[in-house]
Amino acid sequence: MAEERRQKQCSVVLPSESMKAMAESMGVGQLQEDSCVALSEEVSYRIKEIAQDALKFMHHGKRRKLTTSDIDYALKLKNVEPLYGFQSQDFIPFRFASGGGRELHFYEEKEVDLSDIISTPLPRVPLDVSLKAHWLSIDGVQPSIPENPPPATKEQQKAESTEPLKAVKPGQEEDGSIQGKGQSGTSAEVKGKEKLRMKPRSTHELSVEQQLYYKEITEACVGSCEAKRAEALQSIATDPGLYQMLPRFSTFISEGVRVNVVQNNLALLIYLMRMMKALMDNPTLYLEKYLHELLPAVVTCIVSKQLCLRPDVDNHWALRDFAARLMAQSCKTFSTTTNNIQSRITKTFTKSWLDDKTQWTTRYGCIAGLSELGPDVIKTLIIPRLTVEGVRIKAVMEGPVVSNIDKIGADHVQSLLLHCASVIAKIRPAPDVVDQYRTDYGYLGQMLCSHVVKARTQAALQAQTVNRTTLTITQPRPSLSVSQSGGVGSSGGSRTPSIIKVPSSLTLMSTRPATPTQPSPPATKYIVMATSAGAASTQQVITLSSSQSSSPVTSTVTSVSTPLQPLVKLESGGGAVAGSRPMQKYIVVSLPSSSSSSLEHKGGATATSPIAIETTVKSERSESPATHTHSPH
Amino acid sequence: MAAVQDGGSELEGEKEPKPELMNDGSTAPAAAPSSRPEDQQTLLAVLQFLKRNKLIESVDALRREAGLADEPEEAPGSEAAGGAGGAAAGSGELGDAGALLSRVSGGSQSAAAPAPAKGGDDQPDVSVVLSAYSQQGDPSLYQVYYSGLKKFIESVLDCHRAELSQLFYPLFVHMYLELVYNNHESEAKSFFEKFNGDQECYYQDDLRVLSGLTKKEHMKGNETLLDFRTSRFVLRISRDSYQLLKRHLQERQNNQIWNIIQEHLYIDIFDGMPRSKSQIDSMSGSLAGEAKREDNKTKVYYGLLKEPEIEVPLDDEDEEAENEEGKPKKKKPKKDSMGSKSKKQDPNAPQQNRIPLPELKDSDKLDKIMYMKEATKRIRLGPESLPSICFYTFLNAYQGLTAVDFTDDSSLLAGGFADSTVRVWSVTPKKLRKVKSAADLGMIDKESDDVLERIMDEKTASECKILYGHSGPVYGVSFSPDRNYLLSSSEDGTIRLWSLQTFTCLVAYKGHNYPVWDTQFSPYGYYFVSGGHDRVARLWATDHYQPLRMFAGHLADITCTRFHPNSNYVATGSADRTIRLWDVLNGHCVRVLTGHKGPIHTLAFSPNGKYLASGSTDGRVLLWDIGHGLMIGELKGHTDTIYALRFSRDGEILASGSMDNTVRLWDAIRAFDDVETDDFTAATGHVHLPDNSQELLLGTYLSKSTPVIHLHFTRRNLLLSAGAYNSQ
């Protein structure tokens, strides 16, 4: 490959068409082909020469990026007038144009109205150069302060926790000179393999600043001032230098939960869980080493019999949901074949759920914890239990009133179980007969049936809008491609179709209302707007999280839009494959020809198997006149 | 032309009695006359050139010289040391070359081309130089020749293969250039494509330049090419390997390759074991091959000068003690330490007055005393006690920070910026103040004790002062040792001297017409050195507007300049990937150090003056023994250009700062101790470098996207580093 590149190096020359274009711009028409070739070779050579000189200026400017001024100085070296007007610190935005079989890159010079410039307020004066000193190292140890990069990157932490026996990496051994000293000191006696086996000792000494920080943060996190807490959580979630303090935070959370569960202090438990969430969100921290402390605390918050003083009034359910989601997130991030977190957690939940004597609160927690783990878990563990659970709920709801608390609990469990509808909608074939459901799922059958129907209609709606915008869902492959016809919209003219990666087990819809937590960061957000000719349009925000466990959240917003808006607007961060960017937004606006047709298709789109969806989608595309409405106005 | 030179000058003696294989009696006298006309030809070319450029005086001077001696010491500014030595030593060998040539080419095709200028000639006549390529040969056969040689080299014994492989690159380049010169464009292209993959990776940059060159017309202005042509590529090959090659070429009657070897290469033959691949690789990589061995034979007085003021402060002691309390106590230990240090004159030190040094002023003496005081509080560094590092980050440096310097006492910091400004900061609580205006100064009582304090204008006190004057990015800044002056060198070709009393520009030294990449004050002040794109390093004195010395010899930009601690030598690093050490006294080049694979961007002398460290774009730090002219260490670890190197005050630790945002600390003592330089290695220059970078690395400190561009050890061995925060 290097060979190839080198060969290219040798032969790269400007195309002779460029010479023609330049000649024309100078007023020289009809340039001979031979002259063009000769010119292009000469020009290419000179350009290379100048670029090589410009590189020198870049190196002496102590930069990695070549700037326009470097080129100017290089030209000056050669006694050539520098190029005026190309003063830019950043890249120069060359525009591309083609026409008449010609392709052209040009530098767009906008006409500027002087009066505009005069009337606009002056921009802010840039800050002056200033000097700031900090300690990069104190007696050979790099202090963890914001001015310094985090001592260990996440990858290192991960490698350290998953493969502790691996030889110390060069970057790692300089964590502190104490450690380095230890190695050099022992290397005399301990040789060869033994030296390699030695697990690197990590020091957990905290500087005074760190201790102060820890105190401030923990106080703010559990204190009464919400604004301060938000700040503290923000700090935990973003600060790069917390690695050293992680064990302290971990202990703080686990101890805090232990104490506050006993005291039924719901507020504090919520705060602690939010802290845990913030720790997990911190991109520089890898919590694996501290899960043994953290996970029990989280599980406690999910399944504890009592989390608050007044179980009938307080909304401890939200805490359970939140903690369950945290658990699902940590399962997803940290579960490996060696620690088996997910299966262990699943086992724990199932075991206490199966116990007849389990309280409703715990029952709720178990189910919530399981259902957050993803559709597969729901399918294999929850759905088979629906009948049994139905009987139990029935006993509470319709039987003699035992206690209000039990009733509330049963009610919550019931609504939680009904969330399974979206999964059922996927695994059961289309006709939803209430009696059938009743026989299959007992007491809950009827409600499930209506939920499933609802889920299906929403899915159909989904499929339809998907179809209208020629969004093809290719299942079971985990990719979702959005393709467009030729010149859709004015803004997306030259964009190529992008592929959106979506997990295979995705449920496009969930009836669950928007949850207090945010989905895990790398999520894709689709805003699908479906407009029925001139009437009120619905706008759906589907957040497709790339995590398998957390179900996507759909919220439907109704809005009115004018029919003459650009039909399809595709906003994507550079059109790259989703997932590489934190958040990608697709606004898909579609305009069906008539509202009746959409209703029609609904029936067709309620197919159950994903493949069926695809086929209907395809057939619709060929029939539906809606596709034609995509041509730009 | 002397193409093949046997042995170094010290081997001459042994060689004499030995019957030479090729140097039979008949050729020796024949060679002598043959060298005459060639020299004369060269002379004529030079004279012609001078005349054309209306340098009448030089012409006369040269005529006179030539008339007196036949030794052509050509143009002014010629690299005298190496050139003269080479010529003297080479004259004996001319015979060999002539004989060989006639044998191989059958006498008919002796160096047909007009003799090109000598290696030392600085200003080659382009057409003369290039015409050396105007040889006729079947262009299509070049590939055959080259691959034939390749096959041969690949088939020889392993021990010779590595040595002979050195031939590939220079041959490749010259053959390619010949093809291009003779307008065989397509052949040249295919030749390049076919064989450029074989070349060592460290020649990539040059090959890239070469690949762009496809036309005869391009060759005219191309400096890289001229370098290649004017300086002979130096190869070091053992006698056995050389014989092998010679035999092969003779058998094959391979004139084309032989001619190139004769005319464009300089083969430095040594007796003894062929070198291994790693040995060769460690030394090669420079633009013009390795250094010739005799280039590094000159004696270098690398010792330190005797501290000149030893007796003086004793006399002044009482007066100074009044200024600062607590001084008398400190005096005693200081005296002892000084006494022990300079008890005996370092045998390697130069004469105290070898070059005239400025007289010490009272303020200098005060500073020396401060230095001694600080030195007693200095922390002993070592692998067990690493220095603390204080990082000075330049924030909001949108305009680009290009150079930084600290004063020796670490009280001031200067930054050069790409927007042509120089900014000076005080990093101590003491603010920067200007001297009062002339009118105000007149009103001061000159007899008062605190007159020095009174002349300062309190109103101008600020932490930072900006110096305007340059018209291009400032690439080098340097404080004078007495902290009264600041030097800055810039893209605009000037070096400016600024007063730190008035914060105004005092002098603009013009001489370099091209960007000046670096400048530095002598450790004793007064002198300073500068180097830039014009490939000439200049030595200046602050009170002369013209340079005192011009050091010419580098084949590409001089990227960094450093004074030896004893001020008698100047080291320059260059984009031709060599380091040269120049004698300030006579302007001779006394050391050529090759081994870097990229432009050298920083140099540092060890405090004892014995060693030199250099850092380059290839991310490696190389350590050199100045006395022997040997590479003695290689520190690998950085992943990007190294812009800063500094030894701790006692030389135990070497700190390096790089574009990869790290400061690394190396165990310098161990690095120097690990290498055993016995007489043999010293004589041959073949050192086995221990690959122990990982063990020598004591610490790596990553900064937050801030490239490290300057390092400085305070007098108490605290490490200061500086760089501009890069927000992208």
Side-chain angles (χ1 to χ4, degrees):
Chain A
M1 219 183 86
E3 205 75 341
E4 264 174 49
R5 211 190 59 226
R6 280 190 193 173
Q7 283 187 9
K8 266 189 195 151
Q9 255 177 29
C10 177
S11 55
V12 169
V13 204
L14 289 173
S16 57
E17 287 81 45
S18 300
M19 294 304 122
K20 276 203 182 115
M22 283 177 214
E24 276 169 28
S25 73
M26 305 268 296
V28 181
Q30 299 304 318
L31 201 63
Q32 296 260 313
E33 186 60 35
D34 291 349
S35 333
C36 280
V37 172
L39 269 175
S40 74
E41 279 180 5
E42 178 68 16
V43 169
S44 309
Y45 171 71
R46 296 297 164 199
I47 288 179
K48 282 178 194 171
E49 229 180 19
I50 287 164
Q52 279 154 6
D53 276 339
L55 268 180
K56 284 183 189 167
F57 285 94
M58 180 191 79
H59 278 301
H60 284 280
K62 273 95 176 170
R63 275 177 281 114
R64 273 205 199 85
K65 197 162 67 178
L66 195 73
T67 63
T68 47
S69 55
D70 292 333
I71 305 273
D72 283 348
Y73 294 131
L75 286 170
K76 214 173 136 191
L77 274 192
K78 300 242 172 261
N79 265 332
V80 181
E81 190 93 335
L83 300 168
Y84 297 108
F86 285 96
Q87 289 301 330
S88 172
Q89 285 289 317
D90 298 311
F91 74 103
I92 299 169
F94 277 102
R95 291 280 311 266
F96 172 76
S98 63
R102 289 263 191 97
E103 292 178 331
L104 204 61
H105 291 269
F106 63 98
Y107 178 58
E108 193 178 35
E109 287 175 294
K110 293 197 184 80
E111 269 185 35
V112 184
D113 194 348
L114 277 179
S115 59
D116 278 358
I117 293 183
I118 293 165
S119 59
T120 47
L122 286 172
R124 218 158 51 91
V125 179
L127 293 166
D128 197 16
V129 191
S130 62
L131 202 59
K132 188 176 187 303
H134 75 269
W135 289 108
L136 186 68
S137 141
I138 296 169
D139 293 335
V141 185
Q142 188 161 28
S144 299
I145 45 174
E147 285 87 352
N148 286 330
T153 62
K154 201 169 180 178
E155 287 69 40
Q156 269 177 23
Q157 293 175 37
K158 185 171 180 176
E160 205 177 289
S161 54
T162 49
E163 290 150 286
L165 289 184
K166 255 197 176 172
V168 189
K169 273 184 272 170
Q172 207 174 312
E173 69 181 31
E174 293 96 35
D175 269 4
S177 75
I178 296 173
Q179 195 178 302
K181 263 187 245 166
Q183 279 180 350
S184 60
T186 48
S187 62
E189 310 114 66
V190 193
K191 292 244 168 170
K193 274 182 193 169
E194 276 177 72
K195 188 184 161 197
L196 282 178
R197 285 251 176 89
M198 260 191 5
K199 202 181 161 190
R201 264 182 290 150
S202 50
T203 51
H204 282 300
E205 288 164 20
L206 294 191
S207 63
V208 180
E209 293 84 2
Q210 283 175 322
Q211 288 172 26
L212 273 176
Y213 173 85
Y214 172 79
K215 189 164 159 273
E216 283 287 317
I217 287 286
T218 48
E219 274 171 10
C221 275
V222 297
S224 55
C225 176
E226 183 57 41
K228 236 182 162 183
R229 177 165 26 256
E231 230 174 273
L233 290 176
Q234 170 79 16
S235 169
I236 295 180
T238 54
D239 219 308
L242 301 182
Y243 175 62
Q244 294 279 324
M245 278 176 271
L246 201 47
R248 267 80 167 179
F249 279 126
S250 155
T251 315
F252 180 81
I253 291 173
S254 73
E255 285 296 299
V257 168
R258 210 164 56 86
V259 171
N260 287 298
V261 156
V262 176
Q263 294 179 348
N264 291 325
N265 197 337
L266 179 65
L268 275 182
L269 288 174
I270 291 175
Y271 298 155
L272 289 169
M273 283 300 107
R274 283 172 71 183
M275 237 177 117
M276 160 94 184
K277 166 86 179 144
L279 280 178
M280 286 198 59
D281 286 347
N282 191 319
T284 61
L285 295 179
Y286 195 73
L287 301 180
E288 216 265 1
K289 275 200 268 182
Y290 309 98
L291 288 181
H292 66 279
E293 270 188 321
L294 293 171
L295 284 192
V298 177
V299 173
T300 307
C301 288
I302 299 174
V303 299
S304 174
K305 256 186 284 184
Q306 201 178 353
L307 289 169
C308 49
L309 289 172
R310 295 163 299 164
D312 46 341
V313 191
D314 288 335
N315 188 10
H316 57 95
W317 312 106
L319 171 62
R320 292 178 199 274
D321 283 339
F322 185 78
R325 230 161 290 127
L326 260 184
M327 178 59 81
Q329 192 185 339
S330 34
C331 280
K332 196 191 107 225
T333 341
F334 303 113
S335 191
T336 59
T337 44
T338 39
N339 60 17
N340 265 328
I341 293 175
Q342 174 142 0
S343 67
R344 279 156 69 189
I345 292 295
T346 317
K347 244 178 246 165
T348 315
F349 284 146
T350 323
K351 210 176 128 204
S352 56
W353 185 23
L354 293 182
D355 193 346
D356 274 341
K357 288 183 214 89
T358 313
Q359 299 262 326
W360 281 107
T361 46
T362 309
R363 201 171 289 280
Y364 178 88
C366 293
I367 299 169
L370 285 174
S371 62
E372 288 291 344
L373 290 175
D376 286 336
V377 178
I378 295 178
K379 200 166 105 184
T380 51
L381 290 174
I382 301 183
I383 291 176
R385 294 270 307 163
L386 282 175
T387 323
V388 185
E389 217 49 37
V391 171
R392 195 170 284 148
I393 293 170
K394 192 180 175 187
V396 177
M397 301 295 257
E398 294 173 3
V401 180
V402 190
S403 84
N404 195 26
I405 294 172
D406 275 357
K407 201 159 179 210
I408 295 170
D411 196 37
H412 271 97
V413 170
Q414 183 182 318
S415 61
L416 186 64
L417 286 174
L418 290 179
H419 291 166
C420 304
S422 57
V423 180
I424 294 174
K426 270 204 175 161
I427 55 171
R428 267 179 88 94
D432 297 313
V433 187
V434 179
D435 292 339
Q436 192 72 43
Y437 270 82
R438 200 166 286 162
T439 50
D440 284 353
Y441 303 116
Y443 172 73
L444 291 173
Q446 193 177 352
M447 279 174 284
L448 269 179
C449 182
S450 63
H451 271 85
V452 168
V453 170
K454 219 190 281 173
R456 280 198 214 280
T457 40
Q458 249 167 331
L461 206 65
Q462 200 61 54
Q464 242 172 6
T465 50
V466 159
N467 160 48
R468 292 243 175 67
T469 55
T470 63
L471 192 103
T472 325
I473 306 173
T474 36
Q475 296 259 27
R477 264 188 302 131
S479 69
L480 180 78
S481 69
V482 181
S483 56
Q484 301 165 292
S485 49
V488 181
S490 52
S491 60
S494 59
R495 290 221 176 93
T496 47
S498 37
I499 311 262
I500 310 151
K501 277 208 177 132
V502 167
S504 56
S505 58
L506 104 111
T507 36
L508 269 174
M509 211 145 299
S510 135
T511 47
R512 180 177 291 200
T515 40
T517 40
Q518 287 198 325
S520 55
T524 323
K525 197 180 233 176
Y526 300 87
I527 299 178
V528 182
M529 289 173 80
T531 319
S532 330
S537 65
T538 53
Q539 182 181 341
Q540 287 172 315
V541 182
I542 313 165
T543 310
L544 296 178
S545 157
S546 50
S547 67
Q548 299 227 336
S549 50
S550 63
S551 48
V553 181
T554 313
S555 59
T556 310
V557 184
T558 315
S559 68
V560 182
S561 67
T562 53
L564 273 176
Q565 269 180 341
L567 289 176
V568 175
K569 200 173 159 211
L570 234 165
E571 274 184 13
S572 75
V577 176
S580 60
R581 305 199 173 244
M583 186 74 92
Q584 220 165 4
K585 217 181 231 177
Y586 284 83
I587 301 178
V588 187
V589 186
S590 85
L591 189 75
S593 55
S594 69
S595 54
S596 63
S597 72
S598 71
L599 279 174
E600 244 176 56
H601 297 311
K602 240 178 241 172
T606 41
T608 38
S609 78
I611 299 130
I613 289 181
E614 195 181 54
T615 49
T616 49
V617 160
K618 274 189 181 151
S619 64
E620 271 177 345
R621 190 193 303 148
S622 54
E623 298 160 13
S624 170
T627 4
H628 301 294
T629 56
H630 289 284
S631 54
H633 289 276
Chain B
M1 282 302 298
V4 182
Q5 179 163 347
D6 277 0
S9 42
E10 94 286 357
L11 293 172
E12 212 85 330
E14 312 165 19
K15 217 168 56 188
E16 231 38 75
K18 212 165 31 171
E20 272 297 319
L21 233 166
M22 41 195 174
N23 203 358
D24 40 309
S26 62
T27 50
S34 86
S35 72
R36 283 265 163 83
E38 276 176 27
D39 284 346
Q40 246 138 35
Q41 244 173 342
T42 315
L43 260 177
L44 281 178
V46 172
L47 282 172
Q48 236 172 9
F49 172 80
L50 289 173
K51 252 185 234 164
R52 212 171 322 129
N53 288 292
K54 308 222 163 56
L55 300 163
I56 310 296
E57 278 181 43
S58 310
V59 172
D60 289 344
L62 190 58
R63 281 242 167 87
R64 251 180 285 126
E65 285 266 323
L68 282 173
D70 220 16
E71 195 86 317
E73 274 279 352
E74 299 100 328
S78 76
E79 173 216 329
S91 57
E93 268 74 47
L94 281 173
D96 300 356
L100 263 180
L101 194 63
S102 57
R103 200 175 281 181
V104 170
S105 54
S108 62
Q109 209 188 6
S110 68
K118 287 224 118 186
D121 198 336
D122 225 5
Q123 299 261 302
D125 192 339
V126 175
S127 57
V128 171
V129 163
L130 290 182
S131 63
Y133 279 125
S134 66
Q135 277 172 352
Q136 292 312 309
D138 189 350
S140 55
L141 284 178
Y142 275 61
Q143 291 197 17
V144 179
Y145 289 146
Y146 189 85
S147 42
L149 184 76
K150 195 173 143 190
K151 226 194 221 149
F152 159 71
I153 290 178
E154 276 163 4
S155 68
V156 297
L157 285 174
D158 277 359
C159 59
H160 300 300
R161 190 189 303 150
E163 289 211 310
L164 292 180
S165 299
Q166 298 176 84
L167 275 169
F168 282 137
Y169 175 67
L171 278 181
F172 171 79
V173 175
H174 283 293
M175 287 172 94
Y176 177 75
L177 292 179
E178 257 184 51
L179 283 171
V180 171
Y181 185 79
N182 293 319
N183 285 326
H184 305 302
E185 202 180 316
S186 57
E187 282 91 350
K189 239 178 207 170
S190 70
F191 180 79
F192 190 89
E193 276 164 32
K194 191 159 178 201
F195 297 114
N196 85 30
D198 301 343
Q199 311 308 327
E200 299 284 355
C201 54
Y202 39 80
Y203 292 121
Q204 270 302 299
D205 289 346
D206 289 343
L207 286 175
R208 204 172 296 134
V209 175
L210 210 61
S211 71
L213 187 130
T214 50
K215 290 223 181 302
K216 189 178 175 181
E217 294 79 52
H218 295 162
M219 296 174 82
K220 269 208 171 136
N222 192 310
E223 290 153 354
T224 317
L225 166 82
L226 276 180
D227 292 339
F228 223 93
R229 193 45 214 92
T230 52
S231 60
R232 289 148 143 249
F233 198 92
V234 181
L235 300 170
R236 231 180 253 185
I237 291 184
S238 72
R239 188 172 299 280
D240 292 350
S241 303
Y242 179 69
Q243 300 283 10
L244 215 62
L245 173 75
K246 204 174 67 180
R247 210 170 307 133
H248 168 76
L249 291 177
Q250 280 171 349
E251 275 166 20
R252 291 295 182 84
Q253 294 286 305
N254 202 337
N255 294 338
Q256 207 72 37
I257 288 184
W258 188 245
N259 285 344
I260 291 175
I261 293 179
Q262 290 282 299
E263 283 166 33
H264 304 306
L265 308 190
Y266 177 99
I267 299 186
D268 195 355
I269 299 170
F270 61 86
D271 292 296
M273 284 281 290
R275 293 186 296 168
S276 70
K277 174 97 177 102
S278 64
Q279 277 177 321
I280 292 167
D281 278 348
S282 70
M283 296 290 282
S284 54
S286 105
L287 195 65
E290 294 180 43
K292 298 174 199 162
R293 269 175 304 154
E294 69 266 20
D295 283 351
N296 289 335
K297 291 295 176 208
T298 324
K299 167 130 175 95
V300 173
Y301 301 99
Y302 56 79
L304 299 184
L305 291 180
K306 217 162 56 176
E307 287 293 319
E309 84 293 14
I310 302 165
E311 302 87 22
V312 187
L314 297 181
D315 304 339
D316 298 359
E317 187 176 349
D318 300 324
E319 297 145 48
E320 278 146 15
E322 285 160 21
N323 297 344
E324 283 166 71
E325 49 271 63
K327 180 70 60 60
K329 274 187 221 159
K330 286 277 180 269
K331 277 284 151 107
K332 298 293 179 278
K334 177 207 77 189
K335 231 189 289 169
D336 295 345
S337 70
M338 264 180 7
S340 66
K341 207 187 269 176
S342 50
K343 211 160 30 192
K344 47 183 185 267
Q345 170 83 8
D346 189 339
N348 292 310
Q351 287 283 312
Q352 203 70 14
N353 53 359
R354 189 162 178 268
I355 60 164
L357 291 172
E359 295 261 311
L360 280 181
K361 289 175 291 192
D362 283 352
S363 58
D364 295 333
K365 288 173 192 161
L366 259 176
D367 195 54
K368 288 276 176 204
I369 287 161
M370 279 305 289
Y371 176 77
M372 294 297 173
K373 272 179 72 179
E374 296 268 319
T376 56
K377 294 179 190 161
R378 186 181 292 164
I379 302 159
R380 299 279 315 167
L381 296 179
E384 300 300 315
S385 60
L386 294 177
S388 299
I389 308 170
C390 181
F391 203 107
Y392 285 94
T393 312
F394 288 78
L395 300 169
N396 310 318
Y398 311 107
Q399 59 276 78
L401 178 72
T402 44
V404 176
D405 194 33
F406 283 95
T407 51
D408 187 67
D409 70 346
S410 319
S411 63
L412 300 176
L413 185 161
F417 290 85
D419 67 352
S420 323
T421 59
V422 178
R423 287 158 198 256
V424 183
W425 276 270
S426 164
V427 294
T428 57
K430 199 175 154 194
K431 297 209 165 154
L432 300 173
R433 294 168 304 177
K434 284 185 192 174
V435 171
K436 285 179 184 166
S437 67
D440 292 340
L441 281 176
M443 292 151 67
I444 292 174
D445 173 17
K446 288 171 193 69
E447 302 305 312
S448 76
D449 287 341
D450 58 344
V451 66
L452 286 177
E453 193 61 26
R454 286 195 188 194
I455 58 169
M456 305 314 275
D457 190 352
E458 227 22 81
K459 277 176 292 195
T460 59
S462 67
E463 274 177 13
C464 172
K465 292 261 184 255
I466 307 179
L467 307 174
Y468 298 100
H470 280 296
S471 59
V474 179
Y475 290 117
V477 286
S478 175
F479 281 104
S480 71
D482 60 5
R483 296 187 298 286
N484 283 325
Y485 305 104
L486 176 71
L487 275 175
S488 63
S489 70
S490 158
E491 185 271 341
D492 61 15
T494 61
I495 303 145
R496 280 175 188 267
L497 182 76
W498 309 84
S499 162
L500 297 181
Q501 302 291 334
T502 58
F503 292 97
T504 51
C505 183
L506 302 176
V507 197
Y509 300 95
K510 292 174 186 168
H512 294 277
N513 283 325
Y514 290 104
V516 189
W517 298 129
D518 199 8
T519 184
Q520 205 217 353
F521 253 114
S522 148
Y524 292 89
Y526 186 61
Y527 299 108
F528 64 94
V529 64
S530 66
H533 178 72
D534 60 2
R535 306 162 176 208
V536 180
R538 286 167 163 82
L539 180 87
W540 311 73
T542 46
D543 56 358
H544 287 65
Y545 61 88
Q546 281 182 326
L548 303 179
R549 296 280 182 278
M550 310 237 293
F551 306 115
H554 275 298
L555 299 172
D557 301 33
I558 290 176
T559 46
C560 55
T561 53
R562 276 274 129 200
F563 256 101
H564 190 275
N566 68 19
S567 197
N568 278 262
Y569 297 92
V570 163
T572 54
S574 162
D576 68 7
R577 307 188 285 275
T578 61
I579 301 158
R580 279 168 189 262
L581 191 71
W582 310 88
D583 193 337
V584 168
L585 182 69
N586 48 24
H588 289 170
C589 174
V590 289
R591 289 286 178 270
V592 181
L593 308 171
T594 62
H596 269 298
K597 316 287 188 252
I600 292 142
H601 274 275
T602 179
L603 294 167
F605 281 97
S606 68
N608 61 10
K610 245 178 129 173
Y611 305 108
L612 179 69
S614 58
S616 84
T617 54
D618 59 12
R620 299 179 315 145
V621 176
L622 295 184
L623 304 172
W624 309 89
D625 181 328
I626 296 169
H628 296 99
L630 290 178
M631 187 197 296
I632 51 166
E634 179 186 20
L635 305 175
K636 282 183 275 193
H638 281 294
T639 55
D640 211 327
T641 309
I642 296 165
Y643 281 120
L645 275 176
R646 198 54 81 101
F647 281 94
S648 66
R649 291 283 172 158
D650 293 325
E652 312 98 331
I653 299 262
L654 175 66
S656 60
S658 152
M659 197 69 183
D660 64 10
N661 303 342
T662 57
V663 174
R664 284 171 202 257
L665 302 177
W666 310 86
D667 189 341
I669 294 206
R670 197 165 152 208
F672 296 135
D673 284 351
D674 278 4
V675 181
E676 74 293 344
T677 44
D678 50 48
D679 291 340
F680 173 72
T681 52
T684 56
H686 308 151
V687 181
H688 272 291
L689 288 181
D691 187 18
N692 54 355
S693 300
Q694 278 310 313
E695 295 157 42
L696 296 175
L697 182 65
L698 298 177
T700 304
Y701 304 98
L702 192 64
S703 74
K704 225 177 189 177
S705 61
T706 313
V708 184
I709 64 169
H710 191 74
L711 290 168
H712 175 82
F713 274 96
T714 66
R715 290 171 175 179
R716 296 187 187 183
N717 266 340
L718 174 73
L719 181 57
L720 306 179
S721 54
Y725 177 69
N726 190 353
S727 52
Q728 290 108 356

